[in-house]
Amino acid sequence: MSIVKINVLTVPEEQRETLEKRFASRAGSVENSDGFEWFELLRPVEGTDTYLVYTRWRGEEDFQKWMSGMSQSSHGGGEQNRPKPASSGSTLWTFEVVQQAAPKQ
């Protein structure tokens, strides 16, 4: 059964463009990972400063492998080379996919 990881990011308005540019420049850092199924960056429309980073994985083990490998290199580079975070807070939610539907072809 697939799992969904949602990273809940609190992003001040003046950092929104920075956050979106960083995600745009990540250029396949997750798409080629074994077990990866889907990614979406969701921008708030009104009433909140919270972005959602939605990823879907074949299973928890695949997500953990990505976190310990590719995630480190895509988010890393050493403390002195790391840019200041665009978000002021982050929480990770995990869900199991128990039902799904797609448009009928």
Side-chain angles (χ1 to χ4, degrees):
M1 186 61 59
S2 294
I3 63 159
V4 170
K5 298 288 185 172
I6 300 174
N7 195 358
V8 183
L9 302 175
T10 303
V11 183
E13 189 169 342
E14 65 274 7
Q15 291 294 324
R16 286 181 170 197
E17 185 177 348
T18 299
L19 179 88
E20 292 179 21
K21 284 181 179 178
R22 287 181 186 169
F23 271 95
S25 68
R26 65 184 177 69
S29 64
V30 70
E31 288 89 332
N32 297 322
S33 299
D34 190 40
F36 169 77
E37 296 178 352
W38 198 260
F39 162 85
E40 291 178 323
L41 176 61
L42 306 176
R43 176 193 303 141
V45 176
E46 59 184 54
T48 184
D49 58 357
T50 303
Y51 275 72
L52 301 178
V53 182
Y54 174 102
T55 57
R56 182 173 164 145
W57 299 85
R58 178 177 50 208
E60 181 68 28
E61 184 176 307
D62 296 307
F63 173 75
Q64 291 302 325
K65 282 182 188 174
W66 176 74
M67 283 295 291
S68 65
M70 289 297 292
S71 173
Q72 298 297 322
S73 62
S74 66
H75 291 110
E79 286 298 320
Q80 65 270 39
N81 296 330
R82 188 173 297 166
K84 180 182 175 217
S87 66
S88 61
S90 174
T91 302
L92 184 64
W93 296 340
T94 302
F95 297 88
E96 290 181 326
V97 177
V98 294
Q99 293 184 26
Q100 62 185 18
K104 293 183 182 189
Q105 302 288 343

